[in-house]
Amino acid sequence: MTNESEVYRKGATTLRGRHVPATTTDQRLLDQSQDTDWLHTDPWRVMRIQAEFVEGFGTLAEIGPAVSVFGSARIKPDSDYYAKGVELGRLLADAGYAVITGGGPGAMEAANKGAFEAGGTSVGLGIELPFESGLNPYVDLGVNFRYFFARKTMFVKYAQGYVVLPGGFGTLDELFEAVTLAQTQKVTSFPIVLLGKGFWTPMINFIRDTLYAEGMVGEKDIHRLQIVDDPAEAVRIITSDGENLGATRPE
């Protein structure tokens, strides 16, 4: 049995035996010769994570009604999908919604551009990635994140719904996280609109013909995803849902 004199307490943490540190927290704080490894330890990361949530909450709390728009960073400015993204952003701004994107190029830039040029609020939630070049020039309210999960919380918490343009793994990640939140009733009124029938129909067919057929999802889960080709129809679904049901955000 360990002697009480051999117990070391560091805040809420109790340490014994080989876990007892050779120096105290104050000693390490004041030691001029210390290295910077402490910047990368998990307890310090908690403070960074907390700071990201505080910054995100403080920045976005008063943007008003908003819609998160997702899609590939690889969509080119001369593509039909880019044009639809611009139109979507414009129509959302005209309807009184702020447009929230990941702040990058491609589909994100398109939606931000449409909102920006229409005089709406154009929000970009950037993420630290080795191959990203920062926020696109059409973002007038931007927050950069280190952690995906902090950023994802902002996409849902401050949006009345999602509109998803064609995209890859990142886009699918955001899409299915939203579907899961709706399925588990973490959000109870949250329209999810897929823009681009030709792109999204094969995925819906897989969900219906395989997932549903095998009993992996319910019929209601399939109907959570609404596919359209027209940006105006996407906005109509968002605004209709907002008028009739209201959007319940996670607290």
Side-chain angles (χ1 to χ4, degrees), residues 65-104:
V67 173
S68 290
V69 178
F70 298 98
S72 176
R74 303 182 186 190
I75 288 176
K76 303 301 182 185
D78 60 353
S79 74
D80 182 55
Y81 289 136
Y82 190 97
K84 287 186 176 183
V86 174
E87 179 69 359
L88 173 68
R90 182 186 69 79
L91 291 172
L92 286 170
D94 288 346
Y97 289 93
V99 172
I100 304 173
T101 79

Side-chain angles (χ1 to χ4, degrees), residues 216-246:
M216 304 299 175
V217 299
E219 185 175 1
K220 185 177 181 180
D221 299 321
I222 301 173
H223 295 312
R224 296 182 195 281
L225 301 171
Q226 303 182 65
I227 306 180
V228 301
D229 257 336
D230 183 3
E233 178 66 9
V235 175
R236 188 198 66 76
I237 292 171
I238 295 290
T239 56
S240 175
D241 189 272
E243 290 170 0
N244 296 330
L245 299 174

Side-chain angles (χ1 to χ4, degrees), residues 147-171:
Y147 300 101
F148 269 112
F149 53 84
R151 178 181 183 240
K152 285 180 176 181
T153 299
M154 306 304 155
F155 280 129
V156 179
K157 180 172 176 58
Y158 293 106
Q160 268 68 40
Y162 279 7
V163 179
V164 189
L165 282 87
F169 288 142
T171 302

Side-chain angles (χ1 to χ4, degrees), residues 83-155:
K84 287 186 176 183
V86 174
E87 179 69 359
L88 173 68
R90 182 186 69 79
L91 291 172
L92 286 170
D94 288 346
Y97 289 93
V99 172
I100 304 173
T101 79
M108 296 172 282
E109 178 183 292
N112 284 135
K113 180 179 180 180
F116 179 83
E117 292 181 344
T121 300
S122 177
V123 180
L125 306 181
I127 185 69
E128 183 181 58
L129 292 174
F131 47 81
E132 291 285 349
S133 56
L135 298 176
N136 68 65
Y138 302 104
V139 169
D140 57 17
L141 181 62
V143 184
N144 282 298
F145 293 86
R146 285 188 178 93
Y147 300 101
F148 269 112
F149 53 84
R151 178 181 183 240
K152 285 180 176 181
T153 299
M154 306 304 155
F155 280 129

Side-chain angles (χ1 to χ4, degrees), residues 46-61 143 145 150 153-154 157-158:
V46 170
M47 300 301 292
R48 281 182 169 170
I49 292 166
Q50 177 180 318
E52 291 208 342
F53 278 109
V54 170
E55 185 69 24
F57 291 161
T59 302
L60 301 176
V143 184
F145 293 86
T153 299
M154 306 304 155
K157 180 172 176 58
Y158 293 106

